[in-house]
Amino acid sequence: NGVQAFVYTVNSNHIASIQNIVEQTTDGTMSAVQGLNPGDTVSITGFDKLQDGSKVDIEDSPQEAAGTQAGKSAAGQTR
């Protein structure tokens, strides 16, 4: 994808799609980006093996399984 920043979003059918983004600011651990919508599910692991249209398995993070907001963020859901 050259120099364009991107992520893989995952739809309700568990299909990955490449999504171009623009990083607006970062503090080194968290970034504010343009190009995602609230509620989008973003792959945070295994993305080096993904291709557009790949079928993926979604796993809850330990925090999300416990019902915490931090777990939902860690699992890749944008807010």
Side-chain angles (χ1 to χ4, degrees):
N1 192 340
V3 296
Q4 173 67 53
F6 67 95
V7 296
Y8 283 99
T9 58
V10 181
N11 68 22
S12 60
N13 294 322
H14 296 205
I15 303 296
S17 298
I18 196 165
Q19 177 66 45
N20 291 332
I21 59 168
V22 176
E23 186 176 48
Q24 296 185 325
T25 185
T26 185
D27 67 3
T29 59
M30 190 177 301
S31 297
V33 298
Q34 186 177 36
L36 294 173
N37 295 308
D40 282 352
T41 300
V42 176
S43 174
I44 60 170
T45 62
F47 48 83
D48 55 326
K49 299 177 182 93
L50 284 177
Q51 295 180 10
D52 204 35
S54 295
K55 178 86 171 165
V56 299
D57 292 322
I58 298 175
E59 298 178 2
D60 290 341
S61 69
Q63 294 90 353
E64 186 171 20
T68 66
Q69 183 64 37
K72 291 181 182 181
S73 296
Q77 292 185 343
T78 60
R79 297 281 175 237

